[in-house]
Amino acid sequence: MNTVDYLASREDLVSPGISACQGCMAELSLRVLLKCLGRKTVLVVPPGCMAGAGVGGWNKSMGVKVPCAMPQLGNSASMLAGIKAAYDLVDPDVHCVAYAGDGGTADIGLQALSAAAERKDNIIYVCNDNEAYMNTGFQKSGTTPHGASTSTTPVGSLGRGKLNFKKDVPMMLAMQNAAYVATLSPSYMADFVAKVQRAAQIKDGLVYLHILNPCPTGWGCQGSRSIALGRAAVRSRYFLLYEYRDYRFEISAPTRAVREPLDVGEFIRGQKRFAHLAEADIDEIRRVVQQRWDKLSRLAAE
Amino acid sequence: MNDNEYRVVWGKSGLYTLETSAWRTFRPQIDYSKCVGCGTCLLYCPLCCIGKADGRIVIDLSYCKGCGICREECPKQAIDWIKEAR
Ligand SMILES: Cc1ncc(C[n+]2csc(CCOP(=O)(O)OP(=O)(O)O)c2C)c(N)n1
Ligand code: SF4
Ligand code: SF4
Ligand SMILES: [Mg+2]
């Protein structure tokens, strides 16, 4: 079945009205994720945009049609590991899934996540990477890219945006031999769906899915442009689509199809968080993008 | 209901829903003389409020936020953008 008919036939398990911004890709990715996984799913959603938008529910109502709990920002993976251990006694086929922000993953929750990978907990940990702590007002996170202006890396007489480079969490988890690691973009839906379906089949350890979700409000662009931005991120190799399984890296079709990459500047222009960057700053980003591509190509060739 | 009771809801009643259609300043409208039914808009609508009925692509406007992604991504420019009268 093609992706359109498949997604049209699947049940949307998220409330139809949540308060994510217009054009928010975290909302789209969550809906598609749950469409693929189905009702036999238990969710944890730590504090962040998605919990705040109502996914975790308000008062006594629910924001999703599956059981959902809100862990603390730093302990999604360990709470989920406990939930999984309990479900294993009842029905090991229940998908235990975290949908956590990049702040809750790359910074605050990294220790819990890494420990779950070490224990080979069979949970599906999804990082919704919008490249900052968006829900609390766009503070810099470990996955915020170099040069981006955020409320804690402001641009002014001294500041020039974030000084350091984006933390590479999927690569970290691959190096720690998670059972399955994949990077996903909602702009490439067939690839996205295939990876979630594959993740659902993995039974021998931690599954880590890293989704780059453009955030129009935080990145400073029109909501209507977020799919196009996600596409530019892949075509410029700013965001690399790949899978890691059984000690092997495989570059995914949309990234493999990029023969002549788009200039990273094409991805950067049109986002307010990068508006201050000079050509030399963009060159720095180009350099890192090239290094990451070279590294992945070498790993995938082995 | 007791404040300590934990409730898991599996249906529309008890589901938290915000009337996000009130956010719209414009609404999408498919021009069926141009639509080829490819479903690109259906893939990318962040609300998943575009579906298929009798082989046709249809937009359910009940919660549509008017983000314009469907219109931007449509390869046939088949989605008209209508100003909401408020
Ligand atoms: C330990 C702790 N520190 C700070 C907060 C406040 N807080 C709530 S949501 C949030 C932002 C989370 O950012 P991220 O995980 O990237 O998710 P996003 O909002 O971007 O979706 C923060 C800092 C918290 N809840 N717990
Ligand atoms: S701030 Fe960004 S991630 Fe958060 S709801 Fe808005 S668009 Fe989505
Ligand atoms: S305007 Fe946005 S929310 Fe409304 S149907 Fe189009 S893509 Fe969906
Ligand atoms: Mg974030």
Side-chain angles (χ1 to χ4, degrees):
Chain A
M1 202 192 290
N2 68 46
T3 313
V4 171
D5 288 334
Y6 173 75
L7 288 177
S9 72
R10 301 292 294 174
E11 184 187 10
D12 184 3
L13 292 167
V14 182
S15 158
I18 60 168
S19 60
C21 304
Q22 288 175 324
C24 171
M25 289 295 96
E27 175 174 2
L28 173 59
S29 293
L30 176 65
R31 288 184 192 279
V32 174
L33 175 78
L34 291 183
K35 274 190 178 188
C36 299
L37 293 174
R39 280 197 178 228
K40 248 181 137 171
T41 299
V42 176
L43 199 61
V44 304
V45 182
C49 280
M50 285 301 100
V55 172
W58 290 111
N59 267 333
K60 291 164 188 165
S61 61
M62 295 288 286
V64 278
K65 298 178 185 173
V66 296
C68 178
M70 201 199 286
Q72 294 182 351
L73 192 50
N75 70 350
S76 303
S78 31
M79 179 171 173
L80 192 61
I83 292 174
K84 174 67 180 165
Y87 270 97
D88 272 348
L89 301 174
V90 186
D91 183 350
D93 288 332
V94 172
H95 303 302
C96 294
V97 182
Y99 194 68
D102 51 288
T105 302
D107 302 335
I108 269 179
L110 190 61
Q111 172 272 130
L113 174 60
S114 162
E118 182 200 1
R119 289 188 303 261
K120 295 198 178 295
D121 290 324
N122 186 215
I123 58 175
I124 301 178
Y125 189 105
V126 183
C127 174
N128 149 34
D129 183 6
N130 52 19
E131 303 197 313
Y133 291 82
M134 294 307 182
N135 186 54
T136 38
F138 323 118
Q139 293 86 7
K140 170 238 127 178
S141 82
T143 72
T144 300
H146 177 72
S149 158
T150 69
S151 50
T152 46
T153 57
V155 174
S157 53
L158 292 174
R160 300 209 40 79
K162 182 174 167 177
L163 297 174
N164 306 316
F165 292 90
K166 188 179 167 91
K167 212 187 249 192
D168 197 345
V169 187
M171 193 55 84
M172 232 184 257
L173 270 291
M175 291 302 158
Q176 217 198 318
N177 298 329
Y180 179 61
V181 176
T183 55
L184 294 79
S185 162
S187 302
Y188 293 86
M189 239 355 138
D191 183 70
F192 187 115
V193 168
K195 285 168 176 168
V196 177
Q197 287 173 337
R198 192 164 180 204
Q201 303 299 321
I202 307 282
K203 297 289 169 202
D204 57 345
L206 184 113
V207 171
Y208 179 75
L209 304 179
H210 191 102
I211 314 177
L212 183 71
N213 281 324
C215 160
T217 314
W219 294 11
C221 58
Q222 286 290 317
S224 58
R225 298 274 307 145
S226 33
I227 290 290
L229 261 184
R231 208 182 296 120
V234 171
R235 288 201 182 151
S236 63
R237 294 191 181 138
Y238 171 83
F239 188 66
L240 299 167
L241 293 175
Y242 63 91
E243 292 173 284
Y244 169 85
R245 170 86 179 138
D246 292 332
Y247 307 99
R248 278 210 167 76
F249 284 87
E250 192 180 328
I251 299 172
S252 310
T255 288
R256 247 186 293 128
V258 177
R259 301 256 176 258
E260 297 280 316
L262 201 69
D263 176 32
V264 182
E266 297 287 312
F267 167 68
I268 281 169
R269 276 186 277 277
Q271 297 182 50
K272 270 202 205 112
R273 61 178 178 159
F274 293 126
H276 59 285
L277 292 189
E279 205 53 28
D281 301 314
I282 302 181
D283 278 344
E284 273 293 279
I285 301 177
R286 287 188 181 106
R287 191 175 57 75
V288 173
V289 163
Q290 184 63 38
Q291 278 173 352
R292 290 196 171 181
W293 168 245
D294 290 344
K295 176 166 78 181
L296 180 66
S297 314
R298 278 199 302 275
L299 287 166
E302 273 173 8
Chain B
M1 197 172 84
N2 184 318
D3 264 337
N4 296 323
E5 259 180 82
Y6 177 63
R7 194 166 71 158
V8 175
V9 180
W10 294 80
K12 186 153 170 100
S13 66
L15 200 63
Y16 161 83
T17 45
L18 192 75
E19 298 301 324
T20 48
S21 59
W23 298 3
R24 274 199 315 262
T25 46
F26 284 84
R27 93 183 107 88
Q29 191 178 67
I30 299 181
D31 175 349
Y32 288 103
S33 69
K34 294 186 190 158
C35 172
V36 292
C38 66
T40 307
C41 54
L42 183 155
L43 286 184
Y44 293 139
C45 167
L47 276 79
C48 295
C49 69
I50 306 183
K52 242 182 168 177
D54 306 321
R56 261 184 156 194
I57 303 291
V58 281
I59 302 180
D60 177 355
L61 291 170
S62 331
Y63 293 93
C64 159
K65 294 173 182 170
C67 68
I69 286 180
C70 51
R71 172 173 178 259
E72 173 100 5
E73 293 302 320
C74 172
K76 297 289 169 191
Q77 283 85 49
I79 297 184
D80 295 331
W81 206 226
I82 316 286
K83 186 140 179 64
E84 293 283 8
R86 288 202 204 279

